[in-house]
Amino acid sequence: MNTARLSAMLVKEYHDLKSNVSILSILVLPIFLAVLYSRMDGSQDFSIAFIFVINVAFITMYVQSILLAEEKEKNTLQVLLLSPASTTEIMAGKSIISVILTIIMFVVSILIMGVSIESPLMLSIVLLIGTILFAALGTLVGLLSENMVQITVYILPLSFLFGFSPMIEMFFPDGVIADILSYTPGSYMMEACLGAINGDAFSSYQEAVIWLAGWMIVALAVTLIVFKKKSLSK
């Protein structure tokens, strides 16, 4: 990868972010949840794990899709696709800012809640897999959407389905709904995150990490195919 190109993309994304009110407003969500849960009694493990899922489902995917949609509306995405940058460089460059924001918000949430992480390395791995997965999904939504309205139509159901699946499972512990939700990335992230926070043996949540990695690989593959088709069509 060309470091200079990635740096230029990061600077551009940063300037686009500063003037985007919709993106800046969504950053309040994990902070609000962290402050709210920090004032509640009981175990904080589930709460911080849930905030982790919300972080990647809403911030990573939403920010990624919005930034891409704005590129398309400004007709700057076509210029980027025709530039000397490779597909990998473009995808990485467009994802850097959303990944950074996700990590910052998660760290801030942990500091606010004062939760002790027993296995920070495994939690970092789960965070990395989840962030890449939802960055790919956000890129896919941004590529398939023609405008900001379509972004909202596509992104909200996906965010709620993947982000709130652990909460929904609590109300529907049995039946078809629970079976479907148990295979969503949000459920696997929740399980893996709780295991890492509590310092459980990796074998106890190994399957969840494998399934989550599988989701990531599929999302990256589909996004790469769509991205290449968009590049060839220009």
Side-chain angles (χ1 to χ4, degrees), residues 129 133 185 188 207-221:
I129 295 173
L133 163 61
Y188 292 126
E207 185 177 351
V209 176
I210 293 174
W211 273 97
L212 189 61
W215 269 97
M216 179 192 71
I217 293 171
V218 172
L220 283 172

Side-chain angles (χ1 to χ4, degrees), residues 28-75:
V28 178
L29 179 60
I31 304 300
F32 170 77
L33 290 175
V35 173
L36 179 66
Y37 287 137
S38 67
R39 297 177 180 273
M40 293 183 177
D41 297 327
S43 174
Q44 300 292 309
D45 297 346
F46 181 88
S47 299
I48 194 64
F50 177 65
I51 291 175
F52 164 73
V53 177
I54 292 297
N55 257 321
V56 294
F58 280 85
I59 293 181
T60 309
M61 186 161 60
Y62 183 77
V63 171
Q64 188 73 8
S65 59
I66 289 295
L67 290 175
L68 266 175
E70 287 187 342
E71 292 272 16
K72 293 176 71 175
E73 287 190 346
K74 297 174 182 177
N75 292 321

